Amino acid sequence: MEYGKHQAPARYEAGEGCLTTLIRIPVRIVVLVIVLPVRLVWDALVTGARAADRVLLRPLGRALSRLFRTAVLIPAAWLYETVLTPLGRALLWLAAAVLVRPWVALWRHALVPAVRYGLVVPVVWLYGAVLTPIGHGLRRVYRELLVPAGRGLGVAVGRVLTAVLVRPAVGLWRYVLTPLALAASWLVEHLLVRPSVWTYRHLLTPLGHGISRLLEGMARAIAALGSGLWAAVVWLVPTLIVAPLGWLYRRVLAPVGREVAAAFGVAWRIAGFISRAVGRAVAWLAWHLVGAPVAWVWRTVCTSVGHFVRDAVWAPARRAAAGTGRAVRAALRSARETVAQARRDVWRALVGGPGASEPREPGSPLARTLGVTQQPTTVPCAAPEPEISSLGEKNAERG
């Protein structure tokens, strides 16, 4: 409202009339009463949306992204890298071995030699040894026999056609058709053209000039009547319609519209101030009634209970779980080693002594490491082999 009071003297000095002064304050009061609830609802919705985004939507989005990464992306990547990629490579190799390589071998070792030695070589030989000499002979016959015979025959036929067709046609045109055409043209000129020209000049032209003058006079009269009517309309429309509408727009609608727009602006700003004050009051009440007690309970009760649970319950349980896991892993490792040793002993007892080929563990290195004493893989009481023994001698002994 202070904004309107400060701006009022300037508008009074502008000479806008008493209508502006009469409608300014009531319109602003009415608009403020209408706009204030809308502004309060708008600010409440904006604040609620921001709080919901900060408290609910962002943590929910992070949780959903982590859940999607853990449940979908990581299993899908593992499945692609460990299952689909080797499977695809195996299928590609199998497809190449079954579909591509047989056709390539068939094309390279069967079709190409068959086409080359069964079709191309005979065709080339036939072209070079048979067709080329025949073509040269036919060309010589054409040049030396057919061309002179054709020229002589053409000259004879031309003379016969000239004597039989051309000379009679020229005589008919010169001595019969030309005189008949001249006589017909003289008759058409004296019987049709000259009477038509006289009729056009002495009858139709004066009659057309008279009709055109009559139509021109009528058009001038109609144009004069239309110009008079248009001048009357041009004078009546601005005088009876445009001038009253312009006066109504300048004196009534424009001041009312400006005042309503200014009233909406002032009311929106005042409603914003009121809405901020109401929001601060509600926030103060919420903090002192809910926030401060909850913060005190969190600091004095929940934090202490959480530290106690972390130090007295969670840490010992985690250490116990870690120790149990290590013990289980050690037990499983010992069991695997025992089972492998028993399998090797059973295999050696069934197949034979050290010379028998026994199954190796996957990933066992073939070469020895110099300087490190390895445990024997044959009989537990046997002595280890010398470190300088070559791989060929060892393979020969096993073979």
Side-chain angles (χ1 to χ4, degrees), residues 274-305:
I274 297 173
S275 176
R276 291 191 191 96
V278 172
R280 292 191 186 97
V282 171
W284 184 84
L285 289 175
W287 170 251
H288 286 84
L289 294 178
V290 178
V294 170
W296 179 82
V297 170
W298 175 263
R299 286 195 303 269
T300 58
V301 178
C302 296
T303 304
S304 303
V305 173

Side-chain angles (χ1 to χ4, degrees), residues 3-5 30 54 73 87 90 119-120 125 129 142 181 184 197 211 254 264 291 299 336 349 370:
Y3 178 80
K5 292 181 180 179
V30 173
R54 185 179 301 172
L73 294 182
L87 182 61
L119 182 62
V120 175
W125 176 84
Y142 172 75
V197 171
I211 293 173
F264 268 101
R299 286 195 303 269
R336 283 197 299 269
L370 296 178

Side-chain angles (χ1 to χ4, degrees), residues 202-375:
H202 296 86
L203 294 178
L204 297 179
T205 301
L207 181 62
H209 287 313
I211 293 173
S212 65
R213 289 174 184 174
L214 178 62
L215 293 175
E216 183 179 358
M218 293 175 64
R220 289 179 180 176
I222 293 172
L225 180 61
S227 61
L229 292 176
W230 177 253
V233 170
V234 167
W235 181 81
L236 290 174
V237 168
T239 303
L240 299 179
I241 299 176
V242 177
L245 290 178
W247 181 86
L248 179 64
Y249 175 77
R250 288 193 305 270
R251 300 298 180 182
V252 179
L253 297 179
V256 171
R258 285 196 299 269
E259 290 301 325
V260 170
F264 268 101
V266 173
W268 186 261
R269 288 192 292 273
I270 295 173
F273 296 149
I274 297 173
S275 176
R276 291 191 191 96
V278 172
R280 292 191 186 97
V282 171
W284 184 84
L285 289 175
W287 170 251
H288 286 84
L289 294 178
V290 178
V294 170
W296 179 82
V297 170
W298 175 263
R299 286 195 303 269
T300 58
V301 178
C302 296
T303 304
S304 303
V305 173
H307 289 172
F308 174 76
V309 170
R310 182 190 62 185
D311 297 335
V313 178
W314 175 251
R318 185 175 60 182
R319 288 194 293 270
T324 304
R326 286 193 294 270
V328 169
R329 285 193 296 271
L332 292 176
R333 189 182 305 110
S334 177
R336 283 197 299 269
E337 293 176 357
T338 304
V339 170
Q341 185 65 32
R343 184 170 55 84
R344 286 194 294 269
D345 294 340
V346 171
W347 176 265
R348 193 173 296 109
L350 293 175
V351 176
S357 60
E358 56 186 67
R360 294 179 175 271
E361 293 293 331
S364 62
L366 293 177
R368 294 179 180 272
T369 304
L370 296 178
V372 179
T373 303
Q374 294 183 348
Q375 296 295 331

Side-chain angles (χ1 to χ4, degrees), residues 158-177:
R159 290 179 180 180
V160 170
L161 291 177
T162 301
V164 174
L165 296 177
V166 176
R167 290 181 180 178
V170 170
L172 180 63
W173 173 262
R174 184 178 297 174
Y175 300 107
V176 177
L177 297 178

Side-chain angles (χ1 to χ4, degrees), residues 78-110:
W78 177 84
L79 180 64
Y80 176 78
E81 292 177 358
T82 58
V83 178
L84 296 181
T85 301
L87 182 61
R89 291 176 181 174
L91 291 177
L92 181 63
W93 181 85
L94 182 61
V98 174
L99 299 178
V100 178
R101 292 177 183 176
W103 293 104
V104 170
L106 180 64
W107 172 263
R108 184 177 298 171
H109 301 292

Side-chain angles (χ1 to χ4, degrees), residues 26-61:
V27 167
R28 290 187 179 182
I29 293 172
V30 173
V31 170
L32 178 61
V33 173
I34 296 173
V35 170
L36 181 59
V38 177
R39 182 60 185 264
L40 291 173
V41 173
W42 174 261
D43 290 339
L45 292 176
V46 170
T47 305
R50 289 177 181 174
D53 178 66
R54 185 179 301 172
V55 176
L56 180 61
L57 296 180
R58 292 182 185 176
L60 182 60

